[in-house]
Amino acid sequence: MVATAVDGTPEVILDGKTGLTVPPGDAPAVAAAIIRMLGEPDMRRTMAAEGRRWGNGMFHASSAN
């Protein structure tokens, strides 16, 4: 996941762990993050797996209450 760091995004996308966040309005940073994701398949897989674990823990735990 590549997203801009606005509103609640940093609470969902943990930069460098579950995805990459970039400053809002910084098109070169968005492009660089996308190129990085495309060029690093192991990083993508690791971040995707961590994002699933993190999301399941955050949202499944709260729905059980």
Side-chain angles (χ1 to χ4, degrees):
M1 172 73 66
V2 174
T4 55
V6 296
D7 299 327
T9 302
E11 296 171 15
V12 178
I13 308 301
L14 307 176
D15 188 48
K17 189 168 183 178
T18 64
L20 300 174
T21 58
V22 298
D26 190 343
V30 172
I34 291 170
I35 289 168
R36 182 177 173 201
M37 282 286 199
L38 290 171
E40 298 187 37
D42 290 337
M43 180 185 71
R44 284 195 316 265
R45 281 188 286 277
T46 299
M47 287 184 176
E50 185 59 30
R52 276 189 295 279
R53 278 190 292 273
W54 186 88
N56 283 336
M58 284 293 292
F59 299 106
H60 285 244
S62 63
S63 65
N65 295 327

